[in-house]
Amino acid sequence: MCGISGFIDWKNISGFDCIKAMTDVLHHRGPDDGGYFYKQYQSVHIGLGHRRLSILDLSSHGHQPMDHRHLTIIYNGEVYNFKEIRDELEELGYEFDSGSDTEVILKAYHCWGIEMVHRLNGMFALAILDAERKELVLLRDRAGVKPLYWYYHDGLFLFASELKSFHQHPAFKKELCHDGLALFLQYGYIPQPHTIFKHTRKLKAGNSLTIKLDKQNFDEKKYWDVLDFYRKPKLKVTEEEALYETERLLTSACEYRMVADVPVGVFLSGGYDSSAVTALLQSRRSEKLKTFAIGFHEEAYNEAHHARRVAEHLGTDHTEYYCTHQDALDILPRLPEIWDEPFGDASTIPTVLVSELARKQVTVSLSADGGDEVFGGYDKYIYAKKMESIFGRVPFRNQFGRFFSSIKPSSIPFLSRDPNFSRRYAKAASSLEAKHSAEMLGIIGSAFFRAEVEELIAKPFVHLATDFESYEGLDEHNDLYNSLMAVDYKTYQLDDILVKVDRATMSCSLEGREPLLDYRIIEYVARLDSSLKIRGDERKYLLKKITHQYLPKEMMDRPKMGFGVPILDWFREELRDYLLSYLSECRLAEAGIFNVNKVIEVRDKYLNGKNDDVSKIWFLLVFEMWREKWM
């Protein structure tokens, strides 16, 4: 796991000091080694930088940037099947000087060109400079586990693992994108390919970007899309066949991710996803796996005792830590530095803590993210199904939704006395206005609705298209559940869950690996009937059946908790001070970004104990903390 950065400068104003500064700010992603490439061609300056966290071949042979003939590579990630690819290349006459996957990728590109990406099983964000073809190629892995940002404006192209690299280049213009801000207020994250800055984008998962050095043009292409597999006809297999093949793929994916020349551990929450990963691995080895869990003293949020029971049953070497009120306060000021784009998922706090806990003993830790999106684990899927069953056949459904949206919940007797009724009512009414179930998913996951965002932001902005609208062709072979999981894979999982885990683990130089996001698993499970994932009100049916082969059902069957965080309990007093400071009328008016009265209304509603959604106040606070740090 590493950090990469680079530039192409057609104005020839960027020097070696620029690439060094852009790279060194990513030291946390790779403290073991750093390397730089700087070259001035006739019409362009090119810089490439790399920070290395040594996982495979700990010697200097893994140093990057790495060259082979006319090619130069910088690479962040791990390709787990690199030994098989290396064997294939050796049969074709290629020789190798290192035991690293970097050299395998580089020579695979030399052999097969960009088509080599279809052979890679792993997580990666990489750049390859081809001096012969006069082009730079960027690639991002299928699921988007590894981040890659790029910026182009006024003859300058920048790219990096994190936005903080761009701030190190003197020509980067950090102009706030109000369109991106609107997305953040809706979802608590900014969906790909959009970002918080103008002229700046995320390279989409499963995409390549080719930049011609002599022509200054850009060609972004998709090489993989999860929707392509959901759009295929469903497989005609029995439940037993599905169980066998899914367990085979899960086992292979988990074992692949244990390959390392450094200690490896597992994040264990005690839920089905992490328990399945731990069980599949521990059952096949005699040495004890190192497992790590975070608990809370607030019982409604605590899963640590469940994780401990699983660890004891499987016989792992288990470490747990209880997140305290003070831990949260200590991490809070660090959030804008770790997440250098506004990010509103409050479970960032325990994720940082569990990463720091694991890093004391291991350099790599497996995480079980993706289980909910792949196997159907969220309550929102059941909620959407109920909404569909109630209102799906209502004539003029969209108009019906707009009518309900126009009614103020406070005017409805009895029900309006529930402090959370207003929020639930608005979400249900807005869901009816959705043109498709995929759009309904975006509404269900919103903190601020579009109309509320329009009231909040003082500057003109447009509502950008996201993958919540990418449902074309899904209906032919999918029911509601499969459609929701497909879109979730491209939205919430990609730009919330994976961003959270990548930045948290990398903040303490820990490599996080995601076995449930092995592309072979989703390509297979996407083509299974949804009844194998959600059966009645039972979520993750298939994964549970596999897990119960290793862990007693009575130990595992309990209400789903998720990785919730007791913000209200932690910050009932301290958050008040933060809010009054960051969301003061004077400060907001000086920035001119928000309609001050609307923000104060949200703030005071929270302070007076009448909040209907704590996410709203959290998103506003997180943004203002980010703005103070980076703007």
Side-chain angles (χ1 to χ4, degrees), residues 228-236 476-477 526-528:
D228 291 339
F229 298 91
Y230 276 99
R231 289 175 181 134
K232 290 183 178 182
K234 294 293 173 269
L235 297 169
K236 296 180 180 179
E476 183 178 355
H477 298 294
R527 298 189 63 193
L528 295 178

Side-chain angles (χ1 to χ4, degrees), residues 97-116:
D97 300 317
S98 75
S100 72
D101 55 343
T102 307
E103 187 179 5
V104 172
I105 297 171
L106 182 59
K107 291 179 178 176
Y109 189 87
H110 180 268
C111 181
W112 298 300
I114 200 168
E115 291 303 308
M116 66 90 189

Side-chain angles (χ1 to χ4, degrees), residues 303-315:
E303 287 189 290
H305 51 295
H306 298 300
R308 191 185 318 120
R309 289 179 64 200
V310 171
E312 289 172 352
H313 185 88
L314 296 174

Side-chain angles (χ1 to χ4, degrees), residues 242-289:
L243 282 166
Y244 173 83
E245 181 61 11
T246 303
E247 183 173 359
R248 185 188 72 81
L249 291 171
L250 285 170
T251 302
S252 173
C254 290
E255 292 294 345
Y256 258 148
R257 284 153 183 81
M258 291 297 289
V259 176
D261 295 329
V262 294
V264 180
V266 182
F267 291 153
L268 177 61
S269 71
Y272 271 98
D273 302 339
S274 62
S275 297
V277 169
T278 306
L280 288 168
L281 287 169
Q282 188 63 79
S283 66
R284 288 164 173 80
R285 46 189 32 83
S286 57
E287 70 275 17
K288 289 188 173 185
L289 282 174

Side-chain angles (χ1 to χ4, degrees), residues 462-491:
V462 298
H463 291 289
L464 297 172
T466 70
D467 283 320
F468 283 112
E469 289 85 48
S470 60
Y471 47 77
E472 184 178 351
L474 276 180
D475 292 342
E476 183 178 355
H477 298 294
N478 297 281
D479 63 2
L480 174 67
Y481 285 146
N482 270 328
S483 294
L484 294 176
M485 284 181 268
V487 174
D488 239 355
Y489 195 96
K490 289 173 67 74
T491 54

Side-chain angles (χ1 to χ4, degrees), residues 577-620:
D577 296 333
Y578 269 86
L579 293 181
L580 293 175
S581 173
Y582 283 101
L583 302 183
S584 70
E585 292 186 42
C586 180
R587 190 175 184 278
L588 292 168
E590 184 178 357
I593 296 171
F594 295 114
N595 289 315
V596 177
N597 291 339
K598 286 296 178 182
V599 175
I600 298 302
E601 180 182 318
V602 175
R603 184 199 72 180
D604 290 348
K605 192 173 183 181
Y606 171 84
L607 294 177
N608 293 329
K610 297 178 180 178
N611 55 294
D612 56 355
D613 188 348
V614 70
S615 296
K616 288 182 175 181
I617 199 69
W618 181 252
F619 290 3
L620 289 168

Side-chain angles (χ1 to χ4, degrees), residues 333-376:
R334 296 169 52 196
L335 296 182
E337 172 66 31
I338 298 173
W339 284 270
D340 52 14
E341 181 171 68
F343 189 69
D345 189 332
S347 64
T348 50
I349 294 171
T351 307
V352 168
L353 281 173
V354 76
S355 298
E356 293 175 345
L357 181 70
R359 188 63 178 90
K360 295 175 182 177
Q361 300 185 47
V362 300
T363 311
V364 174
S365 190
L366 275 62
S367 184
D369 300 302
D372 288 315
E373 292 82 2
V374 175
F375 293 101

